[in-house]
Amino acid sequence: MSHILVTGGAGFIGANFVLDWLRQEDADGVVNVDKLTYAGNRKSLTAVALDARHVFSQTDICDSAAVTALLKSYRPRAVVHFAAESHVDRSILSPGDFVQTNVVGTFRLLESVLDYWQVLDAPERTAFRFLHVSTDEVFGSLAPADMPFTEASRYQPNSPYSASKAASDHMVRAYHHTYGLPVLITNCANNYGPFQFPEKLIARMITSALAGEPLPVYGDGFQVRDWLYVGDHCAAIREILARGRPGETYNVGGWNEKINLEVVQALCDLLDELRPRTSGSYRSQIAFVDDRPGHDRRYAVDASKLARELGWKPAETFESGLRKTVQWYLQNPEWVKDVLSGEYRNWVGKQYVE
Ligand code: NAD
Ligand code: TYD
C-alpha cells in the first residue's frame, strides 16, 4: 500500500486532516508522526483506531534517526507537515519550545526527507511532495484599511510563534531552491472546528461558557481575525498536495473577517439557542481582561490564487461552520471532559505501533 507521512496528526488540524483523508475511497495509508505534547490527543483519532491504513508513531520530528527509519519502512509518496507549537500565548511564555520544534524540528525533518528523497527512483522523486503547513501570522498585522495578505506580502512576524513559523517557511523554501526538494507551502488563516484544544479563542469560549466560567476577551476585543472552518483547510491541503506547483506558496483563507467580540457574542447566542442557561444569556459571562503583549490587530487573507489556480473555495460560511462547531462540542462532552481534566494524556489507543 502507498503511504503519506503526516506530522502532528494528533493535533487539531492534523487529526481532522487524517480523519478526512481516510474517509476518501482508495486513500493511501497514513503514517502519523506525533510527539504527543499537551496538544496531541489520540482520542481525536478514535474513529481510525482500528483502521489498518493508519499507523501511529509517537515520535519527535527532531529525532532524525526515528524519522529516517519511518521513511525507509513506509516509503511515503508525500510528507504533510503540521507538527508545531501553535499557540501565541504559550510562545510569549516559553519561546524556546517554539524555536525547538518549529525551527529546529522543521530543519531536522527537512534533512531526513532530503536524504530519503535523493535516493528515490526518478519517477518517485518527481512525484514526491513535501507540504509545509504554515500561518498567515508570518505576514504580521494589518491596519484597518490595508488589503488582505497575498503570497507576495512581506514577512513581518511579531510573536515568537509567528517568527518561528516564518523561519520554518524560509528553511522549506531554501530546500527547494538549493536542493530541488519539491515543496509546497500553505499560509492559512485562523482555523476552528471539532477537536480544537480549548486554548484557542473559539474552543476556549465554548468550553468555558458551558463550564459557567468567565469568557476572557483580551483588550478591547476589536482585533480582527479571518476564520476558516478546519474541514475547508483540510480540503485545500488535499487539492494543493494533488495539483499545487512545487516551489509555490498558497494562501488559504475564508474571506471571513470578524471582530473577536462579535465572534464571542455569536457563540453566546448559539449556546443560548442550543443549550440555554437556566437564566439569562451566556453573554453575561463575557469579561474584558488585560491585552496580550504585542497583540496583532488584524489578519486577513487573500486566497484568490488558490481559487484561480486550483478552483478551491470554502464550503462553509462562518455561520454554518460555527453552528457545526458548537454542535460538535455539545455532542462530545467526553472528549471535552478528558481534555479539561488532562485524562486524554493517559489514553493509549489500539494500533499503537512504534
Ligand atoms: P496543535 O497545537 O493543535 O497540534 C500540533 C501537533 O503537533 C500536536 O499533536 C503535537 O503533539 C504535535 N507536535 C508538537 N511538537 C512536535 C514535535 N516536536 N514532533 C512531533 N509532533 C509534535 O496545532 P494545530 O492548530 O493543529 O496547527 C497545525 C499546524 O497548522 C501548525 O503548523 C500551525 O502553525 C498551522 N496553522 C494553524 C492554524 C490554526 O488556526 N490552528 C492556522 C494556520 C496554520
Ligand atoms: P487565538 O485563538 O489564540 O489565535 P491567534 O492569536 O493565533 O490569532 O486568538 C484569536 C484572537 O482571540 C486573538 O486576537 C486573541 C483573542 N483571544 C481572546 O480575546 N481571548 C482568549 O481567551 C483567547 C484564547 C484569544
Side-chain angles (χ1 to χ4, degrees):
M1 177 195 289
S2 83
H3 282 91
I4 61 167
L5 187 146
V6 171
T7 71
F12 161 50
I13 306 173
N16 276 284
F17 180 82
V18 169
L19 296 173
D20 287 357
W21 181 271
L22 291 174
R23 260 182 232 120
Q24 300 175 113
E25 268 184 39
D26 304 328
D28 313 71
V30 174
V31 184
N32 189 343
V33 176
D34 197 298
K35 181 181 173 182
L36 293 180
T37 67
Y38 79 93
N41 185 347
R42 296 214 56 207
K43 284 207 157 184
S44 305
L45 297 162
T46 305
V48 293
L50 297 175
D51 190 330
R53 297 169 303 166
H54 180 240
V55 177
F56 185 82
S57 174
Q58 183 173 3
T59 297
D60 187 333
I61 53 166
C62 297
D63 183 345
S64 305
V67 172
T68 296
L70 288 167
L71 290 166
K72 278 200 177 134
S73 302
Y74 292 98
R75 301 182 59 80
R77 66 170 180 84
V79 171
V80 185
H81 177 34
F82 293 97
E85 289 292 338
S86 70
H87 193 212
V88 174
D89 292 321
R90 284 180 192 260
S91 82
I92 295 167
L93 296 172
S94 333
D97 296 344
F98 287 69
V99 173
Q100 185 57 27
T101 283
N102 300 1
V103 186
V104 178
T106 299
F107 164 63
R108 295 258 176 264
L109 180 66
L110 283 165
E111 278 189 313
S112 303
V113 170
L114 182 66
D115 285 349
Y116 162 74
W117 174 75
Q118 280 176 328
V119 295
L120 288 175
D121 297 339
E124 289 176 327
R125 205 161 58 235
T126 307
F128 185 81
R129 296 289 181 270
F130 180 96
L131 191 151
H132 175 62
V133 180
S134 191
T135 167
D136 60 350
E137 301 188 27
V138 297
F139 301 120
S141 185
L142 293 167
D146 288 346
M147 298 298 283
F149 304 125
T150 70
E151 289 78 3
S153 295
R154 210 174 115 202
Y155 270 48
Q156 288 182 295
N158 292 320
S159 71
Y161 164 63
S162 53
S164 66
K165 290 297 291 187
S168 67
D169 293 10
H170 292 325
M171 283 310 290
V172 173
R173 176 188 161 88
Y175 267 64
H176 176 69
H177 283 267
T178 307
Y179 307 110
L181 188 69
V183 309
L184 299 153
I185 297 177
T186 58
N187 293 96
C188 187
N190 285 58
N191 284 218
Y192 66 99
F195 302 111
Q196 188 164 31
F197 194 81
E199 62 181 356
K200 308 271 169 65
L201 181 72
I202 288 180
R204 182 176 188 184
M205 293 299 160
I206 298 170
T207 52
S208 295
L210 292 171
E213 290 167 1
L215 307 179
V217 173
Y218 299 165
D220 63 5
F222 274 72
Q223 301 81 9
V224 173
R225 296 293 183 265
D226 183 349
W227 292 98
L228 182 68
Y229 186 71
V230 64
D232 282 325
H233 187 190
C234 293
I237 291 173
R238 290 197 303 272
E239 281 302 322
I240 294 165
L241 189 61
R243 297 190 292 121
R245 290 182 287 135
E248 290 292 313
T249 73
Y250 294 89
N251 280 1
V252 189
W255 304 102
N256 252 321
E257 283 186 63
K258 299 282 174 205
I259 292 165
N260 287 345
L261 188 56
E262 275 178 21
V263 173
V264 178
Q265 289 170 340
L267 286 168
C268 290
D269 297 349
L270 271 170
L271 285 167
D272 284 341
E273 177 197 328
L274 298 170
R275 183 67 57 83
R277 292 178 7 146
T278 39
S279 69
S281 165
Y282 286 96
R283 285 192 185 210
S284 64
Q285 291 171 228
I286 294 175
F288 288 89
V289 299
D290 286 350
D291 208 351
R292 169 189 282 172
H295 199 168
D296 283 340
R297 197 69 184 166
R298 174 176 168 237
Y299 305 139
V301 169
D302 177 345
S304 52
K305 174 177 173 181
L306 184 53
R308 197 174 55 246
E309 291 194 8
L310 302 181
W312 174 89
K313 61 176 175 23
E316 301 292 343
T317 63
F318 188 61
E319 289 66 32
S320 67
L322 210 59
R323 182 171 286 272
K324 271 192 178 177
T325 303
V326 171
Q327 281 167 337
W328 186 87
Y329 279 89
L330 289 173
Q331 286 158 8
N332 290 275
E334 283 298 313
W335 186 92
V336 173
K337 185 165 87 39
D338 285 350
V339 165
L340 295 179
S341 70
E343 181 55 30
Y344 73 104
R345 302 210 68 181
N346 303 324
W347 192 82
V348 176
K350 300 200 175 64
Q351 264 289 108
Y352 198 97
V353 170
E354 251 60 43

